[in-house]
């Protein structure tokens, strides 16, 4: 069963948690995966181990999203600002990306997961760009969960690219300035065709957006998970969805029966 707002019911999805029947599942969940380095430091381990364990958390989270019947899962894998990190750490992160795609792509494809990559690919190295292209191409026909990977991504940079696309259309006479509406901007973003996130989860207890989906999260619900990303699991995911269920999403209107 699908509700009028597009949300499915957890209780109607196979393997859902007992006692969760009737809770609406957000159609699109976006996650800021934070705390890999601090998780490692708290255990006296190198930062790389935190990132490696973070990849394992991604695998668990994808499985959970499929189990819960979520349509879109967006993960903030590498931001535009992450290039400021030490070269050695960037190299390790790129290596983990390659291992994840090469090692998990077949499994994701077999589970009907479609991969969509957002972010600026203009200056990426050829090997990374081709890897992202391959992941999208091999899973393009899939109809299950859409896994949106935000790579070399920044929300402000995305809006800038959209503005430039629209400005070019106006300059070329394909669009008049007075024809520009909110949907015009939405359709010029990297996420064109993807519904806005209903729920944003951030791990590690931090309470900031960090340039993530700046335009798209205007009416999203936020859940802050105190634990670090490598510890994120199905229980934490389900708790966030349960908290989402408690929210009264008014979108600027009145609360049902509350008169406010």
């Amino acid at each position: 069963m699908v509700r009028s707002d597009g949300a499915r019911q957890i209780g109607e999805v196979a393997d859902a948690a007992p006692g969760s029947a009737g809770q609406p599942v957000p159609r699109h969940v976006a996650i800021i995966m934070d705390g890999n380095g601090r998780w490692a430091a708290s255990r006296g381990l190198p930062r790389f181990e935190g990132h490696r364990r973070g990849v394992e958390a991604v695998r668990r989270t994808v499985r959970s999203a499929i189990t819960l019947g979520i349509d879109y899962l967006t993960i903030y894998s590498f931001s535009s600002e992450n290039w400021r990190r030490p070269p050695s750490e960037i190299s390790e992160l790129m290596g983990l990306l390659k291992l994840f795609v090469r090692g998990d792509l077949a499994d994701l494809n077999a589970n009907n997961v479609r991969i969509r990559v957002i972010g600026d690919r203009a200056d990426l190295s050829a090997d990374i760009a081709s890897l992202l292209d391959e992941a999208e191409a091999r899973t393009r026909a899939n109809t299950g969960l859409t896994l949106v990977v935000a790579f070399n991504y920044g929300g402000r940079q995305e809006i800038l690219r959209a503005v430039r696309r629209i400005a070019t259309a106006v300059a070329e006479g394909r669009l008049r300035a007075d024809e520009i509406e909110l949907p015009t901007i939405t359709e010029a973003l990297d996420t064109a065709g993807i519904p806005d996130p209903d729920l944003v989860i951030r791990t590690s207890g931090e309470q900031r957006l960090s340039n993530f989906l700046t335009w798209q999260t205007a009416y999203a619900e936020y859940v802050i998970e105190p634990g670090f990303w490598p510890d994120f699991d199905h229980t934490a995911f389900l708790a966030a969805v349960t908290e989402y269920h408690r929210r009264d999403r008014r979108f600027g209107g009145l609360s049902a029966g509350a008169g406010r």
Side-chain angles (χ1 to χ4, degrees):
M1 176 180 176
V2 179
R3 304 187 322 145
S4 60
D5 62 1
R8 290 187 175 84
Q9 304 295 319
I10 292 179
E12 295 167 349
V13 179
D15 300 323
S20 59
Q23 294 184 358
V25 177
R27 186 181 184 198
H28 183 176
V29 177
I31 304 181
I32 302 173
M33 308 179 295
D34 195 16
N36 290 346
R38 280 168 286 171
W39 180 92
S42 68
R43 290 162 173 76
L45 299 171
R47 287 179 62 85
F48 175 76
E49 182 61 18
H51 294 311
R52 190 188 69 80
R53 292 291 292 270
V55 172
E56 294 178 4
V58 170
R59 295 188 180 104
R60 290 194 301 269
T61 302
V62 170
R63 289 195 295 268
S64 292
I66 294 171
T67 297
L68 294 172
I70 290 165
D71 290 332
Y72 295 86
L73 174 67
T74 298
I75 55 173
Y76 203 6
S77 64
F78 193 84
S79 77
S80 304
E81 289 75 27
N82 284 156
W83 295 108
R84 301 172 186 169
R85 295 188 178 189
S88 59
E89 183 170 350
I90 292 174
S91 178
E92 290 171 348
L93 290 169
M94 295 302 114
L96 284 173
L97 173 67
K98 293 176 183 178
L99 286 173
F100 177 76
V101 174
R102 290 169 180 162
D104 291 69
L105 186 56
D107 184 58
L108 291 169
N109 194 35
N111 281 280
N112 201 27
V113 174
R114 180 186 181 190
I115 297 176
R116 173 99 172 254
V117 181
I118 61 174
D120 188 1
R121 298 191 219 182
D123 296 320
L124 294 179
S125 62
D127 58 336
I128 294 296
S130 63
L131 200 66
L132 299 177
D133 290 342
E134 178 189 358
E136 287 187 310
R138 285 185 59 184
T139 62
R140 185 166 288 122
N142 291 344
T143 58
L145 171 72
T146 296
L147 175 61
V148 184
V149 180
F151 185 84
N152 193 25
Y153 175 86
R156 288 181 172 180
Q157 291 87 338
E158 178 190 28
I159 293 171
L160 176 60
R161 289 193 297 275
V163 169
R164 286 174 173 167
R165 292 183 188 116
I166 294 169
T168 298
V170 172
E172 293 177 349
R174 293 182 285 111
L175 181 70
R176 296 200 316 266
D178 60 2
E179 293 177 324
I180 299 173
E181 304 287 351
L182 292 178
T184 312
I185 300 172
T186 297
E187 292 163 10
L189 296 170
D190 297 357
T191 52
I194 298 173
D196 289 343
D198 303 292
L199 169 64
V200 176
I201 302 170
R202 179 163 189 154
T203 57
S204 84
E206 301 291 351
Q207 300 185 46
R208 58 180 178 271
L209 195 55
S210 296
N211 203 20
F212 182 52
L213 299 177
T214 309
W215 176 275
Q216 299 88 337
T217 55
Y219 280 101
E221 297 295 327
Y222 292 82
V223 171
I224 305 301
E225 162 63 38
F228 296 134
W229 174 247
D231 290 327
F232 194 80
D233 57 13
H234 183 72
T235 299
F237 202 158
L238 187 59
V241 172
T242 301
E243 173 59 27
Y244 168 84
H245 169 62
R246 298 190 184 103
R247 306 288 176 85
D248 181 13
R249 305 189 75 200
R250 299 188 296 275
F251 299 97
L254 298 179
S255 174
R260 57 184 178 84

PDB file of all heavy atoms in Angstrom, residues 35-66:
ATOM      1  N   GLY A  35      32.031  11.207  11.070  1.00  0.00           N
ATOM      2  CA  GLY A  35      32.653  10.668  12.275  1.00  0.00           C
ATOM      3  C   GLY A  35      33.592   9.493  12.075  1.00  0.00           C
ATOM      4  O   GLY A  35      34.006   8.871  13.057  1.00  0.00           O
ATOM      5  N   ASN A  36      33.974   9.190  10.828  1.00  0.00           N
ATOM      6  CA  ASN A  36      34.890   8.064  10.620  1.00  0.00           C
ATOM      7  C   ASN A  36      36.218   8.260  11.348  1.00  0.00           C
ATOM      8  O   ASN A  36      36.726   7.352  12.008  1.00  0.00           O
ATOM      9  CB  ASN A  36      35.171   7.883   9.123  1.00  0.00           C
ATOM     10  CG  ASN A  36      33.974   7.356   8.354  1.00  0.00           C
ATOM     11  OD1 ASN A  36      33.007   6.889   8.933  1.00  0.00           O
ATOM     12  ND2 ASN A  36      34.036   7.454   7.041  1.00  0.00           N
ATOM     13  N   GLY A  37      36.789   9.471  11.193  1.00  0.00           N
ATOM     14  CA  GLY A  37      38.080   9.742  11.814  1.00  0.00           C
ATOM     15  C   GLY A  37      38.010   9.708  13.328  1.00  0.00           C
ATOM     16  O   GLY A  37      38.899   9.158  14.003  1.00  0.00           O
ATOM     17  N   ARG A  38      36.944  10.286  13.887  1.00  0.00           N
ATOM     18  CA  ARG A  38      36.799  10.301  15.344  1.00  0.00           C
ATOM     19  C   ARG A  38      36.520   8.900  15.889  1.00  0.00           C
ATOM     20  O   ARG A  38      36.957   8.555  16.988  1.00  0.00           O
ATOM     21  CB  ARG A  38      35.680  11.267  15.747  1.00  0.00           C
ATOM     22  CG  ARG A  38      36.126  12.733  15.748  1.00  0.00           C
ATOM     23  CD  ARG A  38      34.963  13.681  15.858  1.00  0.00           C
ATOM     24  NE  ARG A  38      34.230  13.740  14.589  1.00  0.00           N
ATOM     25  CZ  ARG A  38      33.064  14.359  14.447  1.00  0.00           C
ATOM     26  NH1 ARG A  38      32.496  14.940  15.498  1.00  0.00           N
ATOM     27  NH2 ARG A  38      32.473  14.398  13.274  1.00  0.00           N
ATOM     28  N   TRP A  39      35.789   8.101  15.112  1.00  0.00           N
ATOM     29  CA  TRP A  39      35.574   6.711  15.525  1.00  0.00           C
ATOM     30  C   TRP A  39      36.917   5.993  15.647  1.00  0.00           C
ATOM     31  O   TRP A  39      37.166   5.288  16.632  1.00  0.00           O
ATOM     32  CB  TRP A  39      34.702   6.004  14.477  1.00  0.00           C
ATOM     33  CG  TRP A  39      34.402   4.564  14.775  1.00  0.00           C
ATOM     34  CD1 TRP A  39      33.324   4.075  15.458  1.00  0.00           C
ATOM     35  CD2 TRP A  39      35.199   3.432  14.408  1.00  0.00           C
ATOM     36  NE1 TRP A  39      33.393   2.702  15.536  1.00  0.00           N
ATOM     37  CE2 TRP A  39      34.547   2.281  14.888  1.00  0.00           C
ATOM     38  CE3 TRP A  39      36.391   3.273  13.709  1.00  0.00           C
ATOM     39  CZ2 TRP A  39      35.035   0.997  14.703  1.00  0.00           C
ATOM     40  CZ3 TRP A  39      36.901   1.995  13.529  1.00  0.00           C
ATOM     41  CH2 TRP A  39      36.230   0.878  14.025  1.00  0.00           C
ATOM     42  N   ALA A  40      37.786   6.192  14.666  1.00  0.00           N
ATOM     43  CA  ALA A  40      39.095   5.543  14.693  1.00  0.00           C
ATOM     44  C   ALA A  40      39.956   6.084  15.830  1.00  0.00           C
ATOM     45  O   ALA A  40      40.597   5.309  16.559  1.00  0.00           O
ATOM     46  CB  ALA A  40      39.799   5.747  13.351  1.00  0.00           C
ATOM     47  N   ALA A  41      39.968   7.414  15.992  1.00  0.00           N
ATOM     48  CA  ALA A  41      40.800   8.028  17.037  1.00  0.00           C
ATOM     49  C   ALA A  41      40.387   7.554  18.424  1.00  0.00           C
ATOM     50  O   ALA A  41      41.240   7.331  19.293  1.00  0.00           O
ATOM     51  CB  ALA A  41      40.699   9.547  16.941  1.00  0.00           C
ATOM     52  N   SER A  42      39.077   7.373  18.642  1.00  0.00           N
ATOM     53  CA  SER A  42      38.604   6.945  19.962  1.00  0.00           C
ATOM     54  C   SER A  42      39.025   5.516  20.286  1.00  0.00           C
ATOM     55  O   SER A  42      38.970   5.100  21.443  1.00  0.00           O
ATOM     56  CB  SER A  42      37.078   7.054  20.027  1.00  0.00           C
ATOM     57  OG  SER A  42      36.455   6.094  19.179  1.00  0.00           O
ATOM     58  N   ARG A  43      39.470   4.788  19.269  1.00  0.00           N
ATOM     59  CA  ARG A  43      39.909   3.406  19.453  1.00  0.00           C
ATOM     60  C   ARG A  43      41.403   3.235  19.234  1.00  0.00           C
ATOM     61  O   ARG A  43      41.911   2.117  19.192  1.00  0.00           O
ATOM     62  CB  ARG A  43      39.130   2.475  18.500  1.00  0.00           C
ATOM     63  CG  ARG A  43      37.672   2.340  18.883  1.00  0.00           C
ATOM     64  CD  ARG A  43      36.835   1.801  17.740  1.00  0.00           C
ATOM     65  NE  ARG A  43      35.462   1.527  18.164  1.00  0.00           N
ATOM     66  CZ  ARG A  43      34.541   2.469  18.372  1.00  0.00           C
ATOM     67  NH1 ARG A  43      34.846   3.748  18.176  1.00  0.00           N
ATOM     68  NH2 ARG A  43      33.320   2.146  18.787  1.00  0.00           N
ATOM     69  N   GLY A  44      42.097   4.352  19.058  1.00  0.00           N
ATOM     70  CA  GLY A  44      43.537   4.293  18.843  1.00  0.00           C
ATOM     71  C   GLY A  44      43.920   3.696  17.513  1.00  0.00           C
ATOM     72  O   GLY A  44      45.010   3.128  17.363  1.00  0.00           O
ATOM     73  N   LEU A  45      43.027   3.831  16.514  1.00  0.00           N
ATOM     74  CA  LEU A  45      43.258   3.247  15.193  1.00  0.00           C
ATOM     75  C   LEU A  45      43.558   4.343  14.175  1.00  0.00           C
ATOM     76  O   LEU A  45      43.193   5.499  14.376  1.00  0.00           O
ATOM     77  CB  LEU A  45      42.013   2.465  14.742  1.00  0.00           C
ATOM     78  CG  LEU A  45      41.595   1.288  15.633  1.00  0.00           C
ATOM     79  CD1 LEU A  45      40.241   0.751  15.202  1.00  0.00           C
ATOM     80  CD2 LEU A  45      42.657   0.190  15.581  1.00  0.00           C
ATOM     81  N   PRO A  46      44.214   4.021  13.073  1.00  0.00           N
ATOM     82  CA  PRO A  46      44.462   5.025  12.032  1.00  0.00           C
ATOM     83  C   PRO A  46      43.150   5.451  11.382  1.00  0.00           C
ATOM     84  O   PRO A  46      42.171   4.696  11.349  1.00  0.00           O
ATOM     85  CB  PRO A  46      45.368   4.291  11.036  1.00  0.00           C
ATOM     86  CG  PRO A  46      45.113   2.839  11.271  1.00  0.00           C
ATOM     87  CD  PRO A  46      44.809   2.710  12.732  1.00  0.00           C
ATOM     88  N   ARG A  47      43.123   6.671  10.849  1.00  0.00           N
ATOM     89  CA  ARG A  47      41.920   7.201  10.229  1.00  0.00           C
ATOM     90  C   ARG A  47      41.418   6.300   9.097  1.00  0.00           C
ATOM     91  O   ARG A  47      40.210   6.167   8.884  1.00  0.00           O
ATOM     92  CB  ARG A  47      42.177   8.615   9.686  1.00  0.00           C
ATOM     93  CG  ARG A  47      42.282   9.686  10.762  1.00  0.00           C
ATOM     94  CD  ARG A  47      42.566  11.062  10.146  1.00  0.00           C
ATOM     95  NE  ARG A  47      41.488  11.493   9.267  1.00  0.00           N
ATOM     96  CZ  ARG A  47      40.384  12.124   9.680  1.00  0.00           C
ATOM     97  NH1 ARG A  47      40.196  12.365  10.979  1.00  0.00           N
ATOM     98  NH2 ARG A  47      39.471  12.509   8.806  1.00  0.00           N
ATOM     99  N   PHE A  48      42.353   5.685   8.389  1.00  0.00           N
ATOM    100  CA  PHE A  48      41.958   4.815   7.283  1.00  0.00           C
ATOM    101  C   PHE A  48      41.022   3.710   7.755  1.00  0.00           C
ATOM    102  O   PHE A  48      40.089   3.326   7.047  1.00  0.00           O
ATOM    103  CB  PHE A  48      43.182   4.200   6.611  1.00  0.00           C
ATOM    104  CG  PHE A  48      42.835   3.207   5.538  1.00  0.00           C
ATOM    105  CD1 PHE A  48      42.388   3.639   4.290  1.00  0.00           C
ATOM    106  CD2 PHE A  48      42.917   1.834   5.779  1.00  0.00           C
ATOM    107  CE1 PHE A  48      42.046   2.720   3.298  1.00  0.00           C
ATOM    108  CE2 PHE A  48      42.574   0.915   4.792  1.00  0.00           C
ATOM    109  CZ  PHE A  48      42.136   1.361   3.545  1.00  0.00           C
ATOM    110  N   GLU A  49      41.273   3.169   8.951  1.00  0.00           N
ATOM    111  CA  GLU A  49      40.414   2.107   9.457  1.00  0.00           C
ATOM    112  C   GLU A  49      38.998   2.626   9.684  1.00  0.00           C
ATOM    113  O   GLU A  49      38.022   1.911   9.463  1.00  0.00           O
ATOM    114  CB  GLU A  49      40.992   1.524  10.751  1.00  0.00           C
ATOM    115  CG  GLU A  49      40.193   0.374  11.344  1.00  0.00           C
ATOM    116  CD  GLU A  49      40.089  -0.837  10.418  1.00  0.00           C
ATOM    117  OE1 GLU A  49      40.892  -0.948   9.465  1.00  0.00           O
ATOM    118  OE2 GLU A  49      39.206  -1.681  10.659  1.00  0.00           O
ATOM    119  N   GLY A  50      38.885   3.882  10.119  1.00  0.00           N
ATOM    120  CA  GLY A  50      37.566   4.479  10.277  1.00  0.00           C
ATOM    121  C   GLY A  50      36.840   4.576   8.948  1.00  0.00           C
ATOM    122  O   GLY A  50      35.643   4.296   8.850  1.00  0.00           O
ATOM    123  N   HIS A  51      37.576   4.986   7.903  1.00  0.00           N
ATOM    124  CA  HIS A  51      36.957   5.071   6.574  1.00  0.00           C
ATOM    125  C   HIS A  51      36.577   3.682   6.051  1.00  0.00           C
ATOM    126  O   HIS A  51      35.524   3.523   5.427  1.00  0.00           O
ATOM    127  CB  HIS A  51      37.917   5.760   5.599  1.00  0.00           C
ATOM    128  CG  HIS A  51      38.178   7.195   5.922  1.00  0.00           C
ATOM    129  ND1 HIS A  51      37.171   8.099   6.183  1.00  0.00           N
ATOM    130  CD2 HIS A  51      39.345   7.899   6.018  1.00  0.00           C
ATOM    131  CE1 HIS A  51      37.694   9.290   6.421  1.00  0.00           C
ATOM    132  NE2 HIS A  51      39.006   9.193   6.340  1.00  0.00           N
ATOM    133  N   ARG A  52      37.433   2.703   6.306  1.00  0.00           N
ATOM    134  CA  ARG A  52      37.134   1.344   5.854  1.00  0.00           C
ATOM    135  C   ARG A  52      35.878   0.819   6.528  1.00  0.00           C
ATOM    136  O   ARG A  52      35.008   0.222   5.876  1.00  0.00           O
ATOM    137  CB  ARG A  52      38.312   0.409   6.146  1.00  0.00           C
ATOM    138  CG  ARG A  52      38.177  -0.972   5.501  1.00  0.00           C
ATOM    139  CD  ARG A  52      39.265  -1.923   5.967  1.00  0.00           C
ATOM    140  NE  ARG A  52      39.093  -2.280   7.368  1.00  0.00           N
ATOM    141  CZ  ARG A  52      38.219  -3.207   7.790  1.00  0.00           C
ATOM    142  NH1 ARG A  52      37.450  -3.843   6.929  1.00  0.00           N
ATOM    143  NH2 ARG A  52      38.121  -3.487   9.077  1.00  0.00           N
ATOM    144  N   ARG A  53      35.775   1.049   7.822  1.00  0.00           N
ATOM    145  CA  ARG A  53      34.586   0.610   8.541  1.00  0.00           C
ATOM    146  C   ARG A  53      33.365   1.417   8.117  1.00  0.00           C
ATOM    147  O   ARG A  53      32.230   0.936   8.176  1.00  0.00           O
ATOM    148  CB  ARG A  53      34.821   0.725  10.043  1.00  0.00           C
ATOM    149  CG  ARG A  53      35.867  -0.251  10.583  1.00  0.00           C
ATOM    150  CD  ARG A  53      35.380  -1.692  10.526  1.00  0.00           C
ATOM    151  NE  ARG A  53      34.302  -1.911  11.459  1.00  0.00           N
ATOM    152  CZ  ARG A  53      34.465  -2.307  12.721  1.00  0.00           C
ATOM    153  NH1 ARG A  53      35.694  -2.528  13.191  1.00  0.00           N
ATOM    154  NH2 ARG A  53      33.437  -2.500  13.503  1.00  0.00           N
ATOM    155  N   GLY A  54      33.592   2.655   7.675  1.00  0.00           N
ATOM    156  CA  GLY A  54      32.494   3.461   7.158  1.00  0.00           C
ATOM    157  C   GLY A  54      31.890   2.862   5.899  1.00  0.00           C
ATOM    158  O   GLY A  54      30.685   2.938   5.673  1.00  0.00           O
ATOM    159  N   VAL A  55      32.738   2.253   5.062  1.00  0.00           N
ATOM    160  CA  VAL A  55      32.248   1.579   3.856  1.00  0.00           C
ATOM    161  C   VAL A  55      31.352   0.400   4.239  1.00  0.00           C
ATOM    162  O   VAL A  55      30.319   0.146   3.606  1.00  0.00           O
ATOM    163  CB  VAL A  55      33.417   1.111   2.972  1.00  0.00           C
ATOM    164  CG1 VAL A  55      32.917   0.236   1.829  1.00  0.00           C
ATOM    165  CG2 VAL A  55      34.176   2.311   2.422  1.00  0.00           C
ATOM    166  N   GLU A  56      31.727  -0.310   5.295  1.00  0.00           N
ATOM    167  CA  GLU A  56      30.887  -1.409   5.767  1.00  0.00           C
ATOM    168  C   GLU A  56      29.525  -0.884   6.220  1.00  0.00           C
ATOM    169  O   GLU A  56      28.486  -1.542   6.005  1.00  0.00           O
ATOM    170  CB  GLU A  56      31.585  -2.149   6.910  1.00  0.00           C
ATOM    171  CG  GLU A  56      32.859  -2.866   6.492  1.00  0.00           C
ATOM    172  CD  GLU A  56      33.557  -3.540   7.659  1.00  0.00           C
ATOM    173  OE1 GLU A  56      32.985  -3.506   8.783  1.00  0.00           O
ATOM    174  OE2 GLU A  56      34.653  -4.087   7.466  1.00  0.00           O
ATOM    175  N   ALA A  57      29.524   0.299   6.842  1.00  0.00           N
ATOM    176  CA  ALA A  57      28.257   0.901   7.269  1.00  0.00           C
ATOM    177  C   ALA A  57      27.391   1.267   6.068  1.00  0.00           C
ATOM    178  O   ALA A  57      26.161   1.187   6.130  1.00  0.00           O
ATOM    179  CB  ALA A  57      28.518   2.129   8.141  1.00  0.00           C
ATOM    180  N   VAL A  58      28.036   1.687   4.973  1.00  0.00           N
ATOM    181  CA  VAL A  58      27.282   1.976   3.747  1.00  0.00           C
ATOM    182  C   VAL A  58      26.573   0.715   3.270  1.00  0.00           C
ATOM    183  O   VAL A  58      25.388   0.748   2.901  1.00  0.00           O
ATOM    184  CB  VAL A  58      28.213   2.523   2.641  1.00  0.00           C
ATOM    185  CG1 VAL A  58      27.468   2.582   1.307  1.00  0.00           C
ATOM    186  CG2 VAL A  58      28.720   3.910   3.015  1.00  0.00           C
ATOM    187  N   ARG A  59      27.286  -0.404   3.275  1.00  0.00           N
ATOM    188  CA  ARG A  59      26.675  -1.662   2.836  1.00  0.00           C
ATOM    189  C   ARG A  59      25.454  -2.000   3.700  1.00  0.00           C
ATOM    190  O   ARG A  59      24.402  -2.392   3.181  1.00  0.00           O
ATOM    191  CB  ARG A  59      27.698  -2.794   2.906  1.00  0.00           C
ATOM    192  CG  ARG A  59      28.869  -2.646   1.949  1.00  0.00           C
ATOM    193  CD  ARG A  59      29.733  -3.901   1.942  1.00  0.00           C
ATOM    194  NE  ARG A  59      30.851  -3.749   1.038  1.00  0.00           N
ATOM    195  CZ  ARG A  59      32.107  -3.517   1.413  1.00  0.00           C
ATOM    196  NH1 ARG A  59      32.414  -3.417   2.712  1.00  0.00           N
ATOM    197  NH2 ARG A  59      33.071  -3.383   0.526  1.00  0.00           N
ATOM    198  N   ARG A  60      25.609  -1.867   5.021  1.00  0.00           N
ATOM    199  CA  ARG A  60      24.485  -2.164   5.920  1.00  0.00           C
ATOM    200  C   ARG A  60      23.306  -1.240   5.643  1.00  0.00           C
ATOM    201  O   ARG A  60      22.143  -1.661   5.646  1.00  0.00           O
ATOM    202  CB  ARG A  60      24.919  -2.002   7.382  1.00  0.00           C
ATOM    203  CG  ARG A  60      25.886  -3.034   7.894  1.00  0.00           C
ATOM    204  CD  ARG A  60      25.971  -2.991   9.413  1.00  0.00           C
ATOM    205  NE  ARG A  60      26.405  -1.698   9.923  1.00  0.00           N
ATOM    206  CZ  ARG A  60      27.687  -1.382  10.150  1.00  0.00           C
ATOM    207  NH1 ARG A  60      28.647  -2.259   9.865  1.00  0.00           N
ATOM    208  NH2 ARG A  60      28.013  -0.194  10.643  1.00  0.00           N
ATOM    209  N   THR A  61      23.619   0.021   5.397  1.00  0.00           N
ATOM    210  CA  THR A  61      22.565   1.013   5.209  1.00  0.00           C
ATOM    211  C   THR A  61      21.802   0.779   3.919  1.00  0.00           C
ATOM    212  O   THR A  61      20.579   0.942   3.867  1.00  0.00           O
ATOM    213  CB  THR A  61      23.168   2.429   5.237  1.00  0.00           C
ATOM    214  OG1 THR A  61      23.847   2.615   6.495  1.00  0.00           O
ATOM    215  CG2 THR A  61      22.104   3.496   5.092  1.00  0.00           C
ATOM    216  N   VAL A  62      22.491   0.386   2.872  1.00  0.00           N
ATOM    217  CA  VAL A  62      21.820   0.064   1.607  1.00  0.00           C
ATOM    218  C   VAL A  62      20.876  -1.120   1.825  1.00  0.00           C
ATOM    219  O   VAL A  62      19.722  -1.103   1.355  1.00  0.00           O
ATOM    220  CB  VAL A  62      22.841  -0.245   0.496  1.00  0.00           C
ATOM    221  CG1 VAL A  62      22.148  -0.824  -0.736  1.00  0.00           C
ATOM    222  CG2 VAL A  62      23.614   1.017   0.122  1.00  0.00           C
ATOM    223  N   ARG A  63      21.343  -2.134   2.537  1.00  0.00           N
ATOM    224  CA  ARG A  63      20.478  -3.289   2.816  1.00  0.00           C
ATOM    225  C   ARG A  63      19.257  -2.865   3.617  1.00  0.00           C
ATOM    226  O   ARG A  63      18.135  -3.323   3.352  1.00  0.00           O
ATOM    227  CB  ARG A  63      21.258  -4.375   3.563  1.00  0.00           C
ATOM    228  CG  ARG A  63      22.305  -5.095   2.710  1.00  0.00           C
ATOM    229  CD  ARG A  63      22.780  -6.366   3.377  1.00  0.00           C
ATOM    230  NE  ARG A  63      23.484  -6.109   4.629  1.00  0.00           N
ATOM    231  CZ  ARG A  63      24.799  -5.947   4.725  1.00  0.00           C
ATOM    232  NH1 ARG A  63      25.561  -5.994   3.633  1.00  0.00           N
ATOM    233  NH2 ARG A  63      25.362  -5.728   5.893  1.00  0.00           N
ATOM    234  N   SER A  64      19.452  -1.989   4.593  1.00  0.00           N
ATOM    235  CA  SER A  64      18.336  -1.519   5.407  1.00  0.00           C
ATOM    236  C   SER A  64      17.332  -0.739   4.578  1.00  0.00           C
ATOM    237  O   SER A  64      16.116  -0.886   4.742  1.00  0.00           O
ATOM    238  CB  SER A  64      18.852  -0.636   6.556  1.00  0.00           C
ATOM    239  OG  SER A  64      19.592  -1.384   7.486  1.00  0.00           O
ATOM    240  N   ALA A  65      17.839   0.115   3.694  1.00  0.00           N
ATOM    241  CA  ALA A  65      16.950   0.913   2.850  1.00  0.00           C
ATOM    242  C   ALA A  65      16.098   0.009   1.966  1.00  0.00           C
ATOM    243  O   ALA A  65      14.897   0.260   1.773  1.00  0.00           O
ATOM    244  CB  ALA A  65      17.770   1.881   1.997  1.00  0.00           C
ATOM    245  N   ILE A  66      16.698  -1.063   1.452  1.00  0.00           N
ATOM    246  CA  ILE A  66      15.945  -2.014   0.630  1.00  0.00           C
ATOM    247  C   ILE A  66      14.887  -2.712   1.482  1.00  0.00           C
ATOM    248  O   ILE A  66      13.723  -2.845   1.087  1.00  0.00           O
ATOM    249  CB  ILE A  66      16.896  -3.040  -0.009  1.00  0.00           C
ATOM    250  CG1 ILE A  66      17.828  -2.349  -1.026  1.00  0.00           C
ATOM    251  CG2 ILE A  66      16.102  -4.154  -0.689  1.00  0.00           C
ATOM    252  CD1 ILE A  66      18.931  -3.240  -1.544  1.00  0.00           C
TER     253      ILE A  66
END
